[in-house]
Amino acid sequence: MADRVKLLEFIEGLLENEALKLRRGFGIGLYLYNQLKDSAPPYVLENLQVFDRMPFEKRKAFLIELKRFIGEVTEPPKDVKRSVKKRGLRDFLIPLDKLKFLDNKEIKVLKSLGIGTLLDALFFFPLRYEDRRPLSSLKLAKVGDKVVLKLRVKDVRKVNDGRYTAEVICTDGVDEVKLKFRFKKNDFIFALYRRGSEVVVLGKLKSFNREKYIVHPELLKEGEFGGIFPVYYVRTKGEVVNVSSKTRQSRIRLALNKTVRKTAKYFPEYLPESIRKKYSFPDIDETLLILHTPEGVDVKSLNAFSDPFHRRAIYDDLFLFQLALLLKKKETELENSPQIKLSVDKFVARFQDKLSFRLTNAQLRVLREILEDMGREHPMNRLLQGDVGSGKTVVAIGATLAAVEKGYQVAVMVPTEILAHQHYRKFKAFFDKEGIEVGLLTGSLTPTQKRSVYKHIREGNIKVVVGTHALIQEKVEFHKLGLVVIDEQHRFGVMQRKLLLEKGKGLYPHCLVMSATPIPRTLALSVYGDLDISVIDELPPGRREVRTMLLYDSEKEKLMEAVNRELSLGNKVYIIYPLIEESEKVELKAATDEYERWKKLLPERKVLLLHGRMSDSEKQEIMESFKRDGDVLVSTTVIEVGIDIPEATLMIIEDAHRFGLSQLHQLRGRVGRSDRLSYCYLVIPDSIRRVDAEAIKRLKVLVRTNDGFEVAEMDMKLRGPGELLGVSQSGYFGFNIANLARSHDRAVLQNARDDAQKLLEEDPKLDKHINLKELILYRYGDKLDLSYIA
Ligand code: ADP
Ligand code: MG
């Protein structure tokens, strides 16, 4: 700041004589702005920028306030923090190499973790904390705990008791403790532990026959104990590093410690004050400092992530992500879309007349929601959720029909070749009757076939095209794309969605995303937060629950009975095996062997084999053949999603304990697709009872319920959401610390969402929250392709 006393005099001068100089002078705001621009807080500078245009009374009031502010700063700061000049967020985006206080080794180790900038480093939070305050008395150390002890070496000696080769006898002055080693070459131990010397060791305290001991303790050097030590993730991303993980750990710790101590205090607060107050969150500079260099915080609460600093950091992750998704949503809503306007009631009635079954109320409701959306001139972005077998496809067909009738093309994208064929057939069966051309585009078409499909899409002859990733190829050009339907969304990234949506040539097509697996509400919110959500919460009438049973290998004759029973009723059977070839390590039954076995067991029946190593066209042939006149399909999990063969009534899943619950539910959903009674047998080895009682508990969830949302909820609790969505959490969400596998974090999600919504209502483009905006752009700008606020 320029000379404070002079500034104060200047302002007083302006206010003298009933503020005569203030009335007359001009450029005052500009002058003050230049004097203060390096030191005053943003609200002062913002006011100064518009000062010269303010009405007189306001200028006067502001000057009086400014005088107080300058006066205060002149006094020595009470709180050290307040005297620190904050930097802009951008200043923290500098590459690590530019940080003079880090040496090359430190930079290298941080880079190997994927840390590129100063900001990345500050937000690379520890996984957990170790209490390394040495205990000086053994009485204070709990057996079973990892402890740090300050001891004196009484004796070092070689022993030979079969397990250990050397031991060091230590004392805390009163009691004894032994350090035990198994190394064959152990002379170095004599060098490390000299009789009479003082040592500080870290290790798990054990006790046997009233003797206390630690096996292979870590000998701590000065600087490696005394305080609470953060423990960081040490695995490299890609590159090979030739140092032990212990060395890496201490290098990372040292580098981050330095970085945080030098820079965290300048880190600008980006979270709005109202939110910090609402949750009593600490400031960001303190949060960063404490999380990396925790002092005076209870280790237990740190490790439970329940202290205010962790709570804030977790909230921040979720809040930023929600903001990004909502911004993305807004951005999309501004696009122009083809208006597919029709009388919803009339259309729905007409569509119903074309179907052989009555749509359920839930189907009607979501179809209406979709049609209303498509009638607007801005894009629909809707997620259609529903349990397995709830009838999502027919809803998509309805939306497709509406778009085609209004003269637009529709692209239907699915994740696998088999599904593409299946959907193609379903759509074709419906649209042939309407005289509407449906095309199929998959990677396995010949180049000539592809060229022909491209041509007909481009010329608009093909109205509906069903396909795989092949649809997002550059060569695919639409005549007039109005609607994009994406089935089984979670296999596709946001970017792929975008590539397809860009094919609308100026007009942004409507987008309907259908998820195969029911996703719990909280999670749907977090991952699909940029979409509106419709849920089909009702199954077609007459559907009966699939009877699910757990069966041990030793009860296998029951399977044979069940298979024979179903086949004699004219039904079809699936038998699923987890892997295709036997691996030496894990004894899994190979689907191929089992196929041979079942063929022998059922010589009169048509038994087929399907597995992932087959080519797409082979798979396709097998599925056709099974559908036509097959009896038993032995398969790996390639049939998992979407296959719809109503005559199938028995699903046998071998080694069921190796699957996640949602996957099992999805597999089970391949039966029970008609009004025939259906069964699912989950077969597990007898040994499970001994080695993995948890697995049985888990599988019983499926026995108990047929509700996919309930299953998904359980699955998420047990395995975390990444598994459910088929994405790695950190990669996909870009979180630093939040983890949706923790129920606490999921609970925060709704708050974060509400707060984000509220903030954007007040400040739609975050122009009043520049640091927040910068941070979101840094984290999600590329990932979500956020151009709205950029
Ligand atoms: P999912 O929601 O799992 O994708 P599908 O769309 O494949 O379910 O539908 C499952 C089966 O139910 C299909 O054979 C379909 O024809 C049938 N179906 C859909 N809706 C109804 C309904 N309202 N009444 C009777 N059967 C229906
Ligand atoms: Mg489906």
Side-chain angles (χ1 to χ4, degrees), residues 387-393 419 422-423 426 487-488 514-516 641-644 666 670 673:
D387 204 347
V388 178
S390 60
K392 295 181 284 280
T393 314
L419 268 184
Q422 179 180 291
H423 272 56
K426 274 198 184 171
D487 200 6
E488 336 289 5
M514 302 197 284
S515 83
V641 280
I643 295 302
D644 183 31
Q666 185 56 244
R670 299 311 109 212
R673 299 178 83 81

